[in-house]
Each structure stands twice: as C-alpha cells, then as structure tokens.
Amino acid sequence: MRFGIQIVPEDRWQTARVKWRRAEQLGFDHAWTYDHLNWRAFRAKDWFTLVPTLTAAAVETERIGLGVLVASPNLRHPVYLAKEVAAIDDISGGRFILGLGAGAEGFDATMTRRTAWSRRERTERFAEYVRLTDSLLRQPVTTFDGRYYVADEVHSYPLCQQRPRVPFAVAAGGARGMRLAAEYGSYWVTTGEPNRVESAPYEQALPIVRRQVEALEKACVEVGRDPATVARLLVCGPSVGGVLESPAAFFDAAGRFAGAGITDIVVHWPRRSEPYSGKVEVLEKVAEDLDRHRNT
C-alpha cells in the first residue's frame, strides 16, 4: 500500500509551501492538487490553479511524487496540457503524475462555453483527450485529426524526463473509462460511489470499490494487459468518509481497501472547516506508522 495527500489549493504560497514540504517530511509517497477554475463552496474564496501550484511544489520538494487529480477536457486543449506537463516533469526531476478525468457539470463546464457538454460528449471527448495527450507526450512530432481535437505537426520539445512519458492516473467509473485506464493508465483512480455529494463511512464503500476493481481487471483482460500492472488509487473524502478520524481508523480503512484490491490511498490535508475538516495531529500520528503498513 502507498499513501498520498490531496492538498486543496486555497492558501497563499507562504502558507501552502509548508503543507507540501510537510507532506514530504511525513513520508507520504505522493501529493496531489486539484485542477479547477472554481470549485463548489470555494467559488468566492481563494483558489489557485494547477500549473503554478505544482511548479512551486516541485521546487519546494525533492522526493515525493507530485500529481493532479484530475485534469479534464473542461479547461485545456491537450496540446497546452502536454507542454505544461513536460515542464513540470522537468522541474520536478521526473516526479510528476498526470491524473486525467472526463470532467463533470459545474462551474468549469459552463464558465467558458454557452452550453455544457452532454455526458455522452464528455465521454467521447475524454477518449480523444487521453489518446492525443498520450501521443503528444511520447513522440516529438504529433499530427492528430479527431472529432473534437486537432493537432497539426505539433513539436513536443522537450519530452518528459520520465520515459516513455509521465505516468497517467485515469479516473473512471464506467465501462469506456475503465477501458481507457486499462489501455493508458499506470494508475486507475476512484473516489468510491460515483456522483455522491456527501461522504459516508468507509465501510459502506467497500463493496462498491470491490466491484469497480473487478470491472477494471476485466477491462485489462479485454485489452490484453496484466491487471497487476495497473495501480488502483482511492481518493478518500468526496464519498468515502471517516478515514482520518483517528490513526486506528486510517489503518483499518487501508487494510480493508487493500483487501478489495486498492494499492494507493489518498486523504485530504485536514482543513479547519468542511469539506475535509480534521486535525493535522491525526495526520502526523498516522505518518509515524506509515512504513510498517506500506508493504502490507
């Protein structure tokens, strides 16, 4: 089991830098941030974007993996995303992980377009988005003529430090998304029950996550990939609750989800208020025992 932290990008950098440094010092394997223009209750509050946040985090840290959960077609053309990814991977010394998701309804889906995409269009766009981003990060010159995205002799210099490209963490719940994760992902990402707006005790999520893991493994077999080569990352908080109530709860949840096939658990850095309220002291106590549980 590997352990990660998701950091809400709400703090001015002098405050945020302490969290990113501390995540590394505490021994977490990876640290993540969001990719939104605005997000839920934070719309009228401070909110910083992906690229400057992870660029600064890359300079502040030395070892910890750095990633986004998740970039989506809502905000960037794949060409711009790929150029930014290559830069962050270079600055971090090859520590970047690219989380990708189809996106959802909300502010990001409507602020820059008159009509939000339908679910079907989001799904179709996402498939093209992943394929084109993969090509842009793997090869020096890319031409792509899709239904939604076009790239005409795009030169991708420099390529990523990591080869053949940065690892993808593909968020998926449906069959088409699972297939994309099986084809392109180093990680598959879930938050538990899809579209749930409030968290529930983590015990309730176990059968849902187990079924999702089975669906991922089936998709891997269908595309001819060994299911064991895809890591399975669970982001706690959006629908899976109670994990950071205490160190005992954390490691109980980690053990249960490992039994369901999860390889990586990500919790949110505790905030003073909802969402993701909690105590940093609990996180620090958890960190004291990470090594003992990392390989179980």
Side-chain angles (χ1 to χ4, degrees):
M1 177 70 73
R2 292 179 294 267
F3 304 100
I5 290 285
Q6 177 101 339
I7 298 175
V8 176
E10 59 183 326
D11 297 308
R12 304 298 174 94
W13 186 245
Q14 292 306 312
T15 300
R17 69 194 305 177
V18 175
K19 295 180 181 179
W20 291 92
R21 285 180 180 174
R22 190 68 178 134
E24 181 167 79
Q25 293 166 356
L26 289 172
F28 286 91
D29 297 287
H30 32 63
W32 310 78
T33 195
Y34 286 86
D35 189 27
H36 299 288
L37 294 177
N38 296 133
W39 191 72
R40 299 187 186 181
F42 294 91
R43 191 177 195 187
K45 300 178 181 180
D46 289 348
W47 186 273
F48 295 94
T49 55
L50 155 70
V51 175
T53 296
L54 286 184
T55 300
V59 174
E60 290 289 336
T61 58
E62 297 178 354
R63 173 198 58 80
I64 195 168
L66 301 172
V68 53
L69 290 173
V70 290
S72 81
N74 274 333
L75 301 184
R76 294 178 190 82
H77 190 285
V79 169
Y80 297 112
L81 175 66
K83 290 295 289 183
E84 292 168 341
V85 164
I88 299 173
D89 194 51
D90 184 75
I91 293 166
S92 68
R95 291 183 285 133
F96 187 70
I97 307 167
L98 177 57
L100 293 166
E105 298 176 357
F107 309 132
D108 289 342
T110 57
M111 281 192 295
T112 61
R113 62 187 66 95
R114 292 185 176 88
T115 305
W117 300 324
S118 67
R119 180 172 296 181
R120 178 178 179 179
E121 181 172 344
R122 284 204 310 271
T123 300
E124 292 175 347
R125 280 181 176 272
F126 184 50
E128 278 195 16
Y129 199 81
V130 174
R131 286 197 294 269
L132 177 51
T133 303
D134 175 70
S135 296
L136 290 161
L137 292 173
R138 282 180 183 270
Q139 55 196 35
V141 182
T142 297
T143 294
F144 182 92
D145 186 13
R147 179 176 181 182
Y148 300 104
Y149 298 105
V150 173
D152 184 15
E153 293 190 16
V154 174
H155 287 64
S156 299
Y157 299 107
L159 293 171
C160 303
Q161 280 208 18
Q162 299 177 81
R163 297 299 175 90
R165 58 157 166 74
V166 300
F168 284 5
V170 180
R176 295 185 67 180
M178 290 288 191
R179 190 175 182 89
L180 287 171
E183 290 180 316
Y184 296 95
S186 296
Y187 300 77
W188 159 73
V189 179
T190 181
T191 58
E193 183 177 351
N195 303 316
R196 187 181 180 92
V197 296
E198 295 182 356
S199 63
Y202 61 82
E203 298 93 332
Q204 295 183 20
L206 280 166
I208 296 167
V209 170
R210 189 174 287 110
R211 289 194 296 270
Q212 290 176 331
V213 169
E214 291 171 354
L216 172 70
E217 292 176 344
K218 179 181 177 182
C220 287
V221 171
E222 289 174 349
V223 302
R225 182 171 181 183
D226 179 358
T229 63
V230 183
R232 301 91 184 271
L233 188 151
L234 171 65
V235 182
C236 301
S239 66
V240 178
V243 175
L244 266 185
E245 286 186 359
S246 68
F250 180 92
F251 290 113
D252 179 61
R256 290 173 183 248
F257 284 116
I262 293 298
T263 62
D264 295 69
I265 282 187
V266 174
V267 293
H268 283 76
W269 188 278
R271 303 182 64 256
R272 293 182 179 179
S273 59
E274 292 292 348
Y276 317 130
S277 65
K279 298 179 179 179
V280 174
E281 293 80 4
V282 172
L283 187 70
E284 292 173 338
K285 294 295 289 184
V286 163
E288 292 175 4
D289 215 17
L290 285 181
D291 283 342
R292 188 164 66 88
H293 294 266
R294 182 167 275 116
N295 297 318
T296 58

